[in-house]
Amino acid sequence: DAKTTQPTSMDCAEGRAANLPCNHSTISGNEYVYWYRQIHSQGPQYIIHGLKNNETNEMASLIITEDRKSSTLILPHATLRDTAVYYCIITGNQFYFGTGTSLTVIP
Amino acid sequence: DAGVIQSPRHEVTEMGQEVTLRCKPISGHDYLFWYRQTMMRGLELLIYFNNNVPIDDSGMPEDRFSAKMPNASFSTLKIQPSEPRDSAVYFCASSRERLAGGSYNEQFFGPGTRLTVL
């Protein structure tokens, strides 16, 4: 399965959009991009997933480039409760979470 | 539904002892996953089941680790004998059947079991 590369940490001002990038240059045609987040020491929480098209739900938007080699998770109006570690994962038959991006939302 | 239930929440044991972690998935979910999380290695998939059958155990670190799912509502992860390097948080997750297009459904994670092996 494809692996992902994410920045180790990011900051975002409260109320602003948080844009979290993810590189997955070795993704294959039938693999999906998933995003989860983990708040403090809780279990990870599903956010969104997609294959080719951009996706939006009540939590976030997912933008996938046309070549599918990278994607961006957008939290449109970040709040303090969005401070968490965000994982971008590619799934075929494996779920490789890695170490994710630690997002800190600053008041 | 109460969500995914894991027990115990905390376990402290001595090296060489047997450790058994337990998981009750959400009713109606077809998939069950076991993960291990450490600071050094992040969140790693150990094994997952589909309809109680192990599908992929390539993440199980060594023969000291074993997992079973005797029925749709219960799974165990056993470490025998335990070693200090097994200290980690172990998460269980479950999900419904895969979607029509082949994507996996969202996984619902339990609160985890924090294992400390002295």
Side-chain angles (χ1 to χ4, degrees), chain A residues 34 36 44-46 49 89 91-92 95 97, chain B residues 1 3-5 23-35 45 47-52 55 69 72-73 75 91-99 102-110:
Chain A
Y34 284 73
Y36 284 76
Q45 174 192 25
Y46 167 84
H49 78 281
I89 66 172
T91 65
F95 301 87
F97 276 74
Chain B
D1 200 315
V4 175
I5 299 173
C23 175
K24 176 179 170 55
I26 294 173
S27 177
H29 282 192
D30 296 325
Y31 285 84
L32 184 138
F33 306 82
W34 281 102
Y35 292 88
L45 176 67
I47 184 172
Y48 75 94
F49 297 82
N50 179 212
N51 292 324
N52 312 338
I55 302 301
M69 192 166 186
S73 59
S75 176
F91 287 103
C92 174
S94 69
S95 70
R96 297 185 186 89
E97 62 184 13
R98 293 172 73 159
L99 300 175
S103 66
Y104 284 87
N105 239 311
E106 66 175 285
Q107 295 180 39
F108 292 81
F109 282 76

Side-chain angles (χ1 to χ4, degrees), chain A residues 5-64:
Chain A
T5 303
Q6 299 179 254
T8 303
S9 63
M10 293 181 63
D11 293 337
C12 177
E14 187 179 17
R16 303 296 295 270
N19 297 281
L20 292 90
C22 179
N23 288 324
H24 31 80
S25 59
T26 60
I27 192 171
S28 63
N30 61 348
E31 291 180 319
Y32 286 75
V33 181
Y34 284 73
W35 284 83
Y36 284 76
R37 73 180 183 184
Q38 187 173 24
I39 297 174
H40 195 41
S41 57
Q42 299 175 22
Q45 174 192 25
Y46 167 84
I47 301 173
I48 198 168
H49 78 281
L51 182 63
K52 297 180 182 179
N53 301 321
N54 299 336
E55 303 288 344
T56 296
N57 62 21
E58 65 279 4
M59 290 182 68
S61 294
L62 174 60
I63 308 298
I64 303 175

Side-chain angles (χ1 to χ4, degrees), chain A residues 73-91:
Chain A
L73 178 75
I74 301 173
L75 307 178
H77 305 288
T79 71
L80 299 179
R81 287 177 294 181
D82 292 322
T83 293
V85 177
Y86 288 77
Y87 298 97
C88 164
I89 66 172
I90 306 301
T91 65

Side-chain angles (χ1 to χ4, degrees), chain A residues 59-73:
Chain A
M59 290 182 68
S61 294
L62 174 60
I63 308 298
I64 303 175
T65 58
E66 191 170 343
D67 63 8
R68 302 206 326 123
K69 293 184 177 182
S70 66
S71 61
T72 301
L73 178 75

Side-chain angles (χ1 to χ4, degrees), chain B residues 9-28:
Chain B
R9 294 293 307 277
H10 302 274
E11 176 80 31
V12 180
T13 191
E14 293 187 346
M15 182 174 62
Q17 296 297 306
E18 177 180 294
V19 175
T20 299
L21 311 181
R22 298 173 175 79
C23 175
K24 176 179 170 55
I26 294 173
S27 177

Side-chain angles (χ1 to χ4, degrees), chain B residues 35-90:
Chain B
Y35 292 88
R36 176 174 68 175
Q37 185 170 38
T38 61
M39 289 291 293
M40 291 296 294
R41 301 174 66 89
L43 194 60
E44 306 171 278
L45 176 67
L46 300 177
I47 184 172
Y48 75 94
F49 297 82
N50 179 212
N51 292 324
N52 312 338
V53 176
I55 302 301
D56 189 338
D57 65 354
S58 60
M60 296 285 263
E62 49 196 278
D63 292 344
R64 298 185 296 107
F65 286 70
S66 62
K68 295 182 179 180
M69 192 166 186
N71 57 62
S73 59
F74 184 66
S75 176
T76 60
L77 177 67
K78 185 175 294 186
I79 308 172
Q80 167 63 18
S82 59
E83 297 182 2
R85 60 193 169 119
D86 301 331
S87 297
V89 180
Y90 291 81

